[in-house]
Amino acid sequence: MDYFYTIAFFIFGAVIGSFVNVCAYRIPKGESIAYPPSHCPSCGEAIRYADNIPVVSYLILGGKCRSCGSRISLKYPIIELLTGALWAITYSRFGLSLELGYGLFFITILIVLSAIDYDIKIIPNKVLIPAMIISALLLVLYPLNIKTIPLIENLSSGWAIG
Ligand SMILES: [Zn+2]
């Protein structure tokens, strides 16, 4: 049954990866991440639900827009695959736990930041600052649970000694 969850987290991660692409593309431009629905950057045609399946649609359409035929960057399916893979790995590391929630949150934010950094060499504060505030709140709310993450554990024992 463990494989079932690993695969489920991979698929769900890939769907989130699709949303990561939307965020990475729109946040630096100051556009809404919720509206309008995904559209082709070349012709502006809205992407149908059936053509918006992570990775699969890219392969079926041969990496081209269905309406205008312009090439769609390989970075979109790569980010979907990467997010799916990291979600599956995070699940297999932590299982169904609170740590899994932290892990998925941080990994997803870091992929958004990396994608924007790769595109335009900027780490935008409007992603970084909310992520830092949420991280600080999580550390305050759940200090006991988060100690099980080795890096944090080392940091806190370092503080205790110092
Ligand atoms: Zn198009």
Side-chain angles (χ1 to χ4, degrees), residues 11 14-19 21 38 47-61 66 76-77 80-81:
I11 292 170
V15 172
I16 296 295
S18 184
F19 183 62
N21 281 323
S38 297
I47 295 166
R48 304 180 212 173
Y49 281 113
D51 290 344
N52 211 359
I53 304 163
V55 186
V56 177
S57 294
Y58 186 89
L59 296 175
I60 290 173
L61 295 172
R66 188 187 285 282
Y76 297 112
E80 288 160 358
L81 276 177

Side-chain angles (χ1 to χ4, degrees), residues 19-28 30-38:
F19 183 62
V20 164
N21 281 323
V22 171
C23 293
Y25 185 79
R26 295 187 186 182
I27 287 172
E31 296 176 5
S32 162
I33 54 172
Y35 188 86
S38 297

Side-chain angles (χ1 to χ4, degrees), residues 39-45 47 64-72:
H39 50 270
C40 166
S42 298
C43 67
E45 186 76 16
I47 295 166
K64 290 183 179 128
C65 168
R66 188 187 285 282
S67 92
C68 71
S70 64
R71 282 216 77 77
I72 299 163

